[in-house]
Amino acid sequence: MRTFLCIVTLFTALVVNGKQVKAPEASMHWLSIIDNGDYAESWQLADKIFQSQLTIGKWQVALNNARAPLGDVKSRVALGEKAFTSLPGVEDGEYVVLQFKTDFEFKKDAIETLTLTKTDGQWRAIGYFIK
């Protein structure tokens, strides 16, 4: 799981050709699924790239280990988003990296980073990281 999170971090640190775009509604929908504890559903709605990195079971365990100690989400504010046509380690395509300042019950000022790709006309998650 650490390798996967490192890959996501690299996505946000090494992206090229960035520009501003409107945040897809899919990001808030996907995060709300996680907020509700529906980790299996979040995996099922993620892109094939994401699913190929870890099994649904490993995703559920990793996400539970990361999110449970934080408690419930108290607030989430979008910090920014950038669109990209290329990211390291994946084919060229449509990508957006979104960041949120999130206050959890037991952790204030966390930064959530969500990376989405557009596949078959739908935005799907390929990476999620909490700092």
Side-chain angles (χ1 to χ4, degrees):
M1 183 63 192
R2 284 190 174 151
T3 301
F4 177 70
L5 293 177
C6 289
I7 290 169
V8 173
T9 302
L10 285 174
F11 281 178
T12 60
L14 299 175
V15 289
V16 294
N17 195 24
K19 60 180 180 178
Q20 295 292 344
V21 296
K22 184 179 178 193
E25 290 180 17
S27 65
M28 293 307 290
H29 176 69
W30 196 76
L31 289 171
S32 72
I33 290 169
I34 290 174
D35 295 344
N36 290 330
D38 297 330
Y39 302 156
E41 184 179 354
S42 71
W43 186 89
Q44 292 167 345
L45 292 175
D47 192 79
K48 292 178 287 186
I49 295 168
F50 182 96
Q51 294 171 347
S52 71
Q53 295 295 313
L54 67 169
T55 65
I56 191 170
K58 287 182 180 179
W59 171 242
Q60 289 175 293
V61 169
L63 197 51
N64 187 60
N65 289 342
R67 288 291 300 263
L70 303 177
D72 293 335
V73 171
K74 297 301 180 186
S75 68
R76 179 179 284 128
V77 177
L79 293 176
E81 55 197 62
K82 286 194 177 190
F84 301 92
T85 56
S86 65
L87 292 174
V90 294
E91 294 181 17
D92 288 354
E94 291 183 68
Y95 301 95
V96 64
V97 177
L98 305 105
Q99 288 194 311
F100 302 89
K101 179 190 156 298
T102 306
D103 286 340
F104 292 94
E105 185 176 2
F106 304 118
K107 180 173 176 55
K108 305 285 186 224
D109 298 326
I111 302 296
E112 291 179 293
T113 302
L114 176 60
T115 304
L116 304 173
T117 187
K118 198 168 194 180
T119 304
D120 299 327
Q122 293 186 342
W123 288 102
R124 297 187 182 273
I126 63 169
Y128 177 61
F129 181 74
I130 304 169
K131 182 176 178 182

